[in-house]
Amino acid sequence: MWQSSPPGSIYDYIRVASFSIGPDGLIEQWSRRAAGLFGMASDEVVGKDPVEAFMPAELRPDAHRRVAEILDGKEWTGVVPFRIPGENGVGGLAEIYVMPSETGAGERAALCIVVDVRALRRIETDLAASQAIFGQSPFGFVLFGTDFTVVRANKRFATVFGGEADDHRGRTVDDYLPRPEAERLSSTLKRVLETGDAVTDLQLVGTPPGTTGRRHWSMNLYRVHSGAGRPVGIAGLATDVTQRHIAAREAASARRNLALLNEASARIGNSLDLETTARELLDVAVPVFCDLASVDLYQGLLTGEEASPASWGRHQESGTGSAELRRVAQASAVSDALPGTFSAVGGGVDAAGETEPPALGSVHRYPFHSPCAVALRTGRVEAVPGDERGFVHSTLAVPMVAHDVVVGLVQFSRTKGSEPFGERDRALATELAARAAVCIDNARLYRREHERALILQRSLLPPGDPEAAGLDIACRYLPGNTATEVGGDWFDVIELPGHRTALVVGDVMGRGLRAAVAMGELRTAVRTLALLDLEPAEVLSALDEVARGLGTPGGGERSEGFGAGGGAQWPSRAAHKSREADLSEVYLATCVYAVYDPVTRRCTFANAGHLPPVVAEPGEPALLLDVPPGMPLGVGGEPFEEVEVELREGALLALYTDGLVESRDHPLDEGLDAFRHALAEPSQPLEDVCDHVLTTLDTRHGEDDIALLMARIQGLAPDAVGDWRLPRELRSVARARELARTQLISWGLDDLVDTTELLVSELVTNALRYGEGEIRLRLLRDRTLVCEVWDAGLVQPRRRRARDTDEGGRGLQLVGLLSAAWGSRRTPRGKTVWFELALPDGEPAAELSVEQLLSMY
């Protein structure tokens, strides 16, 4: 079957030409290829001597001899230089194959086959280079035909996929790759063949024959053409990039780990709550690092035991298992419907000795030889075997170590389908657990200090429900949560002479143990000053001095240290630092101090920078009392003003701290308005009013301490008060005894008549002897009996021990022995001396002992 040579055949590349020489040695036939090679048409060379036409003059004699030998029947092959016409004398080099022939007449002739040596050498060079590149390439090289079967493969390709290079001819991509990858490569080959667009870095994954490891290849594909531009196949250059993928995966893992640690630093430890910190750890780890996780903390840590943290694990030394732990947090990234999800994450032993998966909040122990107990005992990470079902196949039991002390255990687990934990994962798990452990230990220490401060704070508040004459009192105190620390809010109810009552609410600025201690010192100072029966403004002035001394060592004036040597020196560096530290310990506090007299129902207020009191009278809207605020305690230099207000029967008085009415979400004015509106029904039971206020106001409980002190004005009944004025004369003593006797009998206090008569006589006598002006006698009956004697003298009575020869001086001793309490106080127009007797409870009054009677003599 005849067919024409396709364009781009090998003959086009090697430039083969032919011509014939007749018996006469002249060119007889001239092919077209010869014309193209030598650049001469047939009419230019036919009939001419080829030696004379093509060869240089110096070679012609030998050439004529060679032609003669050929015509004699001798074959010859050689390289002959020739002159290329039309190229300015440039010579060529032809390899000529001369074969003797015969004409039809039997004469000898010759057929010459000519090849351009330059083209031949170029082809040889290209073939050698192609063979070197193809055969010696360290990369897998494969050539696919237009039917997408392998036409040729190099040794490197055969080394990866087995056999010899020639064995791969005729194979398809299905012989090398799994179906999904083979389909992807086949579609890519078709696209390259159709479009001619090269494809670079095509990622393929497969498993070479005889191996189990997955390999990654990067393949470059391009279409191959013939000399005439006809597509003849697709060439593929495959590079094994498995190590690059491993390195990239490790780099990605390292970046992920760094990002995870960075996230852990930002998210773990934002709370000072132990359980919250444990949940924050799991929020970071699941599902980025693991699929399941749980946190167990020692029970002793959670219950706040004062024992050393090292003692929590001593149970493990006896071989009975770990100490008690509580499951405080657990998280899962798998289906919640999966039963027993955490059963493979380290089973524990409950209080009854049964082995079961610890539930959230349960208390359990780990068996002595279990990986979890070993991790707690040694402080090292332990691997936990997977469950029998194969659901959880990799678990790390990581002890939570803070300051060389194990505080708990965290378990990280990966389920089937995830990569098992490696060494890098173990290091990351240890770091995550350590960071959480430090935060948990800090939270433990903080909680311990917070609880101590809270105990101190609560111990300084009035115990139970305070009682006061003429007042119905209810109070509420809500401390801030552990995140906001202990504050310095306090309130107090102090009984004063004459059935009067001091109501105090204060707030030390700042938080923590220092604020609680400062609050305790100020509260103690208020009580001490109240017992001196000073006016409210005087109490705050003295309290301001106390507050200014709290920040100074010893409570005195701040001093500066000077260098050694005589004369004035500059303060030393240590003294300068000490002074700066002293100045940083400045205590400021606000306080409102009120004194209520149930007889007159008048209340005197003094304010040191505190929020104003609120009064709600029956049938009237609640009002803020206009009490000059003054400067906070500790500032100093400014006097305090007093305001006296008469309160109606049944009125409601409220003192409070800013935590009740102020928050970040609304301004103070809105909080005060809401507080006044919450007191719209002051006639309800006082406890109900307090609860209504706290549930109505948006207090944001936990942001700040809240102190609320409420008092309903009742006043003493008129028949519970006896009040007389006596002239300054001797008979007033007998008149005072008579008035006291009559009043006590009307009150049914016959058992107190004799004692009261005696003590009233002593006080009125002293008023006549040492006092001035008119004398006033007042008896008050409430929970106790109080007797007051008023006069205009400023000299305060002083109890003294009388000498044996003294005829007097034993009156106040007698008052002190027979009364429950006695004292004196200044008044705007003199002084008041008083004593107090307990009301009879049906028991006979105790008689004075011999020692008590003799002490007066």
Side-chain angles (χ1 to χ4, degrees):
M1 181 178 178
W2 293 89
Q3 65 180 12
S4 61
S5 177
S9 66
I10 188 63
Y11 302 104
D12 293 335
Y13 289 101
I14 62 177
R15 301 178 69 181
V16 177
S18 65
F19 64 92
S20 63
I21 301 176
D24 56 359
L26 301 178
I27 296 175
E28 188 177 60
Q29 294 180 338
W30 189 256
S31 68
R32 291 182 178 178
R33 288 185 177 269
L37 176 63
F38 294 102
M40 301 174 67
S42 60
D43 57 354
E44 295 181 67
V45 294
V46 173
K48 291 185 179 181
D49 185 346
V51 175
E52 297 294 332
F54 305 114
M55 297 191 68
E58 64 272 13
L59 298 177
R60 288 173 186 173
D62 185 60
H64 283 296
R65 183 176 56 80
R66 294 285 185 186
V67 172
E69 291 177 356
I70 293 170
L71 292 177
D72 287 339
K74 184 178 180 181
E75 292 187 1
W76 181 79
T77 301
V79 178
V80 178
F82 65 93
R83 185 173 61 253
I84 301 177
E87 294 194 10
N88 299 324
V90 176
L93 195 63
E95 186 168 335
I96 301 178
Y97 303 90
V98 181
M99 294 170 287
S101 62
E102 293 183 357
T103 64
E107 296 177 316
R108 292 184 178 182
L111 176 64
C112 300
I113 304 298
V114 183
V115 178
D116 188 347
V117 174
R118 295 177 301 173
L120 188 62
R121 296 294 178 265
R122 185 165 55 248
I123 292 173
E124 290 176 348
T125 302
D126 291 345
L127 288 174
S130 175
Q131 183 62 31
I133 294 174
F134 197 84
Q136 301 173 20
S137 172
F139 309 111
F141 202 102
V142 60
L143 179 64
F144 295 96
T146 55
D147 58 352
F148 308 116
T149 60
V150 176
V151 175
R152 187 178 180 185
N154 68 350
K155 290 183 179 180
R156 177 60 181 167
F157 186 88
T159 301
V160 174
F161 291 100
E164 297 295 330
D166 292 340
D167 297 338
H168 292 274
R169 291 179 179 176
R171 293 184 181 180
T172 65
V173 294
D174 294 311
D175 298 320
Y176 304 106
L177 298 173
R179 180 176 295 274
E181 294 290 272
E183 292 178 352
R184 192 160 63 91
L185 178 56
S186 295
S187 63
T188 305
L189 290 173
K190 292 178 182 178
R191 187 172 70 252
V192 172
L193 183 62
E194 293 173 357
T195 64
D197 297 332
V199 172
T200 58
D201 198 23
L202 175 65
Q203 297 294 316
L204 299 173
V205 180
T207 303
T211 63
T212 58
R214 290 162 58 89
R215 308 296 294 179
H216 294 261
W217 294 284
S218 173
M219 198 164 192
N220 299 325
L221 300 171
Y222 58 94
R223 191 170 67 183
V224 179
H225 306 85
S226 66
R230 181 175 60 87
V232 295
I234 303 101
L237 182 65
T239 306
D240 191 329
V241 293
T242 305
Q243 293 301 322
R244 186 200 305 173
H245 272 264
I246 294 175
R249 187 168 63 247
E250 291 181 352
S253 175
R255 288 194 299 270
R256 182 202 64 186
N257 293 349
L258 289 175
L260 194 63
L261 290 177
N262 183 57
E263 185 178 8
S265 300
R267 296 180 59 183
I268 299 177
N270 292 322
S271 169
L272 288 172
D273 180 74
L274 300 176
E275 290 84 355
T276 301
T277 302
R279 288 193 296 271
E280 290 171 345
L281 168 61
L282 300 192
D283 290 342
V284 171
V286 179
V288 177
F289 178 66
C290 62
D291 301 316
L292 303 172
S294 64
V295 177
D296 300 315
L297 298 180
Y298 278 120
Q299 180 70 355
L301 181 147
L302 295 168
T303 56
E305 293 180 5
E306 290 297 328
S308 169
S311 66
W312 296 329
R314 287 178 184 168
H315 295 275
Q316 302 179 132
E317 302 297 334
S318 63
T320 59
S322 68
E324 287 188 341
L325 298 108
R326 186 192 303 172
R327 177 65 54 87
V328 296
Q330 61 188 28
S332 171
V334 298
S335 174
D336 294 335
L338 186 65
T341 297
F342 288 92
S343 62
V345 189
V349 180
D350 61 10
E354 300 293 332
T355 301
E356 61 179 12
L360 184 63
S362 65
V363 177
H364 60 278
R365 287 190 174 95
Y366 288 109
F368 182 79
H369 294 292
S370 66
C372 294
V374 173
L376 289 168
R377 190 164 57 248
T378 62
R380 295 191 297 268
V381 180
E382 293 290 329
V384 181
D387 62 341
E388 296 179 355
R389 298 174 303 167
F391 174 66
V392 174
H393 69 89
S394 184
T395 299
L396 295 178
V398 186
M400 305 179 73
V401 183
H403 310 299
D404 297 327
V405 175
V406 178
V407 298
L409 183 78
V410 57
Q411 296 180 69
F412 302 107
S413 298
R414 289 179 179 173
T415 57
K416 186 176 181 180
S418 300
E419 291 187 4
F421 291 110
E423 287 301 319
R424 191 187 299 272
D425 295 322
R426 293 171 69 96
L428 178 61
T430 303
E431 179 65 22
L432 288 175
R435 295 193 180 201
V438 171
C439 295
I440 286 175
D441 193 52
N442 291 340
R444 175 187 68 85
L445 296 174
Y446 174 81
R447 186 172 68 176
R448 184 183 67 183
E449 295 302 318
H450 182 271
E451 289 175 351
R452 290 177 178 177
L454 196 59
I455 293 172
L456 171 64
Q457 186 183 44
R458 288 177 173 172
S459 68
L460 297 174
L461 296 174
D465 296 327
E467 296 182 355
L471 292 176
D472 181 14
I473 296 178
C475 53
R476 295 289 187 273
Y477 180 77
L478 302 179
N481 56 35
T482 56
T484 57
E485 302 188 62
V486 171
D489 294 16
W490 92 92
F491 68 91
D492 209 346
V493 178
I494 307 171
E495 294 187 59
L496 300 178
H499 288 312
R500 295 172 304 130
T501 303
L503 303 175
V504 189
V505 169
D507 183 2
V508 176
M509 298 181 187
R511 312 201 63 79
L513 187 60
R514 288 177 57 248
V517 171
M519 178 269 284
E521 295 188 26
L522 292 177
R523 178 180 179 272
T524 302
V526 170
R527 280 191 158 267
T528 302
L529 295 170
L531 293 178
L532 297 177
D533 211 353
L534 303 175
E535 296 296 324
E538 294 177 324
V539 170
L540 293 186
S541 295
L543 199 61
D544 178 62
E545 293 292 334
V546 173
R548 284 195 288 167
L550 289 180
T552 307
E557 293 296 327
R558 298 182 178 90
S559 60
E560 297 180 350
F562 289 84
Q569 301 288 332
W570 287 105
S572 67
R573 182 181 181 87
H576 181 70
K577 289 184 177 181
S578 175
R579 184 175 69 254
E580 288 183 348
D582 292 344
L583 291 176
S584 66
E585 298 287 330
V586 175
Y587 289 85
L588 297 178
T590 63
C591 179
V592 61
Y593 185 89
V595 175
Y596 171 69
D597 188 344
V599 178
T600 62
R601 294 198 315 277
R602 300 186 72 82
C603 191
T604 305
F605 297 91
N607 192 351
H610 203 78
L611 295 173
V614 176
V615 173
E617 295 187 342
E620 300 290 339
L623 299 175
L624 298 175
L625 289 181
D626 186 13
V627 180
M631 299 299 292
L633 302 176
V635 175
E638 293 294 331
F640 297 96
E641 300 182 36
E642 293 181 0
V643 173
E644 189 177 56
V645 179
E646 183 174 353
L647 302 174
R648 291 169 52 187
E649 186 77 16
L652 196 62
L653 174 64
L655 305 179
Y656 52 94
T657 57
D658 56 0
L660 182 69
V661 295
E662 187 177 21
S663 74
R664 300 174 182 175
D665 298 330
H666 56 76
L668 178 60
D669 290 343
E670 292 183 7
L672 291 174
D673 290 341
F675 183 30
R676 291 192 300 105
H677 292 148
L679 298 177
E681 296 293 336
S683 59
Q684 294 180 352
L686 201 55
E687 294 292 335
D688 294 343
V689 175
C690 284
D691 293 338
H692 176 70
V693 168
L694 293 178
T695 56
T696 301
L697 297 185
D698 184 15
T699 60
R700 300 287 180 176
H701 178 222
E703 291 184 359
D704 196 2
D705 293 356
I706 296 175
L708 174 63
L709 177 61
M710 305 189 74
R712 176 168 286 126
I713 305 302
Q714 295 176 342
L716 289 181
D719 60 359
V721 178
D723 195 351
W724 306 276
R725 296 184 182 275
L726 303 173
R728 191 171 187 78
E729 53 188 32
L730 291 177
R731 62 180 182 176
S732 293
V733 177
R735 177 61 177 164
R737 286 199 300 268
E738 180 183 355
L739 293 171
R741 172 184 288 274
T742 303
Q743 185 67 64
L744 262 61
I745 291 174
S746 68
W747 286 341
L749 300 176
D750 301 51
D751 294 342
L752 298 181
V753 170
D754 293 340
T755 301
T756 303
E757 275 191 300
L758 176 59
L759 299 184
V760 166
S761 177
E762 289 293 336
L763 294 187
V764 173
T765 300
N766 284 345
L768 290 173
R769 181 177 300 177
Y770 303 109
E772 299 176 5
E774 186 182 38
I775 298 172
R776 181 182 177 186
L777 172 65
R778 189 167 73 170
L779 295 179
L780 307 175
R781 178 177 62 85
D782 192 70
R783 289 172 296 145
T784 61
L785 176 67
V786 173
C787 175
E788 299 176 332
V789 176
W790 305 38
D791 68 77
L794 298 178
V795 178
Q796 297 290 324
R798 182 174 59 88
R799 182 177 176 179
R800 62 184 178 86
R801 179 177 294 277
R803 295 190 297 266
D804 295 343
T805 57
D806 290 342
E807 296 181 0
R810 299 178 178 84
L812 291 181
Q813 287 183 268
L814 185 64
V815 173
L817 287 173
L818 297 180
S819 65
W822 77 280
S824 66
R825 67 178 185 273
R826 289 182 299 149
T827 64
R829 291 182 295 275
K831 67 177 181 297
T832 299
V833 183
W834 57 272
F835 67 84
E836 184 176 352
L837 296 176
L839 298 182
D841 54 4
E843 297 291 335
E847 296 184 356
L848 294 178
S849 65
V850 176
E851 289 77 7
Q852 290 175 325
L853 292 173
L854 291 178
S855 67
M856 294 185 293
Y857 297 94

